[in-house]
Amino acid sequence: MMTKKRTKVFLISAIMLILSSLCYAQSTEKPVIPDSLLQQTQTTQPTQTTRPTQPAKPTQPTQPKEVSVTGVTLNNTPLNLNVNGTYTLVATVQPDNATNKKIEWSSNNPAIVSVDANGNVIAKAAGRAVITATSAANPNAVARCTVSIR
């Protein structure tokens, strides 16, 4: 009967003998490929390896194309008011799809007639003055209204 120590030594020796004979056989013998595998490799197309795709680069948000102001018109010109009278002028910017439709208002004689940032006109004293609506985007786009105050 074998002892545990002898059994271990025997098993290890047997495993080493099997492994060494396998290594020797692999190094000296020509490998044998079964016919079934050989037929499969002859009829199968090689697979093409592809590179992993790069993540898409973030695109810059497209800026809307700026549409320039070409002109400004007013809803009422000329304008007649009484002293202390008020009126709201409405400026229309051309073209309708202009990017910046801001209007700057001014009076050539604020003692006679004043105008605020919204086109609200106030008649202060008898006389005549000119209200000007100018495009903030294009200082050449201007509309004028002559105001007569009695």
Side-chain angles (χ1 to χ4, degrees):
M1 185 168 201
M2 284 191 183
T3 64
K4 283 186 178 182
K5 187 176 180 183
R6 286 182 107 189
T7 306
K8 282 183 183 178
V9 171
F10 177 75
L11 284 174
I12 291 172
S13 297
I15 291 171
M16 289 181 69
L17 180 65
I18 292 170
L19 288 175
S20 66
S21 62
L22 283 174
C23 289
Y24 177 77
Q26 285 180 354
S27 66
T28 59
E29 293 180 11
K30 195 174 185 182
V32 177
I33 301 173
D35 288 339
S36 60
L37 274 179
L38 190 58
Q39 288 171 351
Q40 286 178 357
T41 58
Q42 290 173 350
T43 58
T44 306
Q45 294 292 327
T47 58
Q48 184 177 356
T49 58
T50 57
R51 294 182 186 186
T53 57
Q54 300 267 339
K57 292 181 181 177
T59 57
Q60 296 294 328
T62 56
Q63 297 295 328
K65 186 176 179 181
E66 185 170 326
V67 179
S68 299
V69 174
T70 58
V72 176
T73 58
L74 294 173
N75 63 325
N76 195 350
T77 185
L79 184 60
N80 295 308
L81 293 174
N82 293 322
V83 174
N84 296 325
T86 61
Y87 186 84
T88 300
L89 287 171
V90 177
T92 304
V93 174
Q94 286 88 34
D96 289 339
N97 64 338
T99 306
N100 182 353
K101 295 186 177 190
K102 183 172 172 22
I103 295 291
E104 295 171 355
W105 296 91
S106 63
S107 169
N108 73 336
N109 193 343
I112 301 290
V113 65
S114 65
V115 63
D116 68 11
N118 298 314
N120 297 314
V121 177
I122 300 172
K124 294 184 174 182
R128 186 177 291 205
V130 177
I131 300 295
T132 304
T134 306
S135 165
N138 178 1
N140 295 319
V142 175
R144 291 181 178 84
C145 175
T146 301
V147 183
S148 298
I149 294 139
R150 35 186 162 129

